[in-house]
Amino acid sequence: MNARKKHVIKMAHQLFIDKGFQATSIQDILEYSGISKGTFYNYFSSKNELLIAIFNTIYKDLEKERNELLIGQDPSNIEIFIKQIELQLKTNRTSKLVSLFEEVFVSNDDDLKQFIKRGHLRMLHWLFHRFIDLFGEEKRPYLLDCSIMFTGILQHNLKYDAFANQSHASIHKVVQYSVDRIVKMVNEVAESGDQLVQPELIDSWVPVCKKLDQSFQQKLYHAALALKKTLNHNEEHSQHIELLDFIQDELLQSKNPRKFLVDSALLSLKTNQLVLEKIELQKLEQLVSDFFAQIEE
């Protein structure tokens, strides 16, 4: 994504926060971001597509920061999980995601509604696999149920804590309290053997994640990050960083990842001798190969 397109996304996001998505016209966006109508339609086919680009940008940044919290840490450390949830809630607040979601739900646009639904399911998928990290494979049969319950507990605790305490409401306190409750619930549900929703369903709800090892996303992120750290910040290397970002997006965000495009990006990376010599590139290639081997089975 070039700098100008990022600028339009940033400006439009601010307009949607200030005026509301429905009340903001494309002309408002053109004037506020300083671009022509032709440039706008070169980037986006509609205002709805622009809103989806805003959501994707926020999700991508959140995912990056969330993964960084795990680097060098024990995935079973519940304090790291608490920090990840706090990060997400603070991102939601600063980005005004809730108000944007509400505008989508009162609209009649099915594509936008489906996009939001897929985002919620991806979050549930992440939460389910983080619960496996925290509570162990032996509790897997009950962890999708517990993930669903946790989202409800957290949402309502945040809502009524804010209502009761207003400006004194504490995200950390609510998250800690909610996590403490779910820890006890996981143990109770596992002991009872009760199961409401089969955990295998989550992969059919989020097809892009089907058949992938639960740690694949983290491995992919670490491999790409390791390569980025070896690159200097000149123009040529910034193009390589964009290629790495593309590979991550294509594998993790695309409903139907395009192998020929990922292979082309890897080939472009190999044209740089300094990158070619990096063992991190070999690790990335192996992850990509494993990815397509698994989804093609």
Side-chain angles (χ1 to χ4, degrees), residues 130-143:
R130 285 297 284 122
F131 272 22
I132 294 174
D133 291 337
L134 295 171
F135 302 111
E137 280 285 344
E138 67 276 8
K139 291 189 172 68
R140 174 188 278 264
Y142 316 103
L143 293 182

Side-chain angles (χ1 to χ4, degrees), residues 149-164:
M149 288 189 286
F150 178 72
T151 59
I153 290 169
L154 183 62
Q155 179 183 353
H156 284 84
N157 282 345
L158 285 166
K159 176 181 177 180
Y160 289 104
D161 180 67
F163 181 73

Side-chain angles (χ1 to χ4, degrees), residues 192-209:
S192 69
D194 289 338
Q195 186 185 66
L196 188 62
V197 181
Q198 294 182 353
E200 293 77 18
L201 287 173
I202 190 64
D203 286 332
S204 64
W205 294 346
V206 190
V208 71
C209 299

Side-chain angles (χ1 to χ4, degrees), residues 62 82-95 98 123 150 154-155 158 170-172 174-175:
L62 170 62
I82 288 172
K83 289 180 181 179
Q84 289 178 310
I85 296 298
E86 288 180 19
L87 172 65
Q88 174 163 332
L89 295 176
K90 289 174 182 176
T91 298
N92 290 352
R93 179 174 292 181
T94 56
S95 302
V98 173
M123 174 58 190
F150 178 72
L154 183 62
Q155 179 183 353
L158 285 166
S170 167
I171 286 179
H172 175 75
V174 172
V175 173

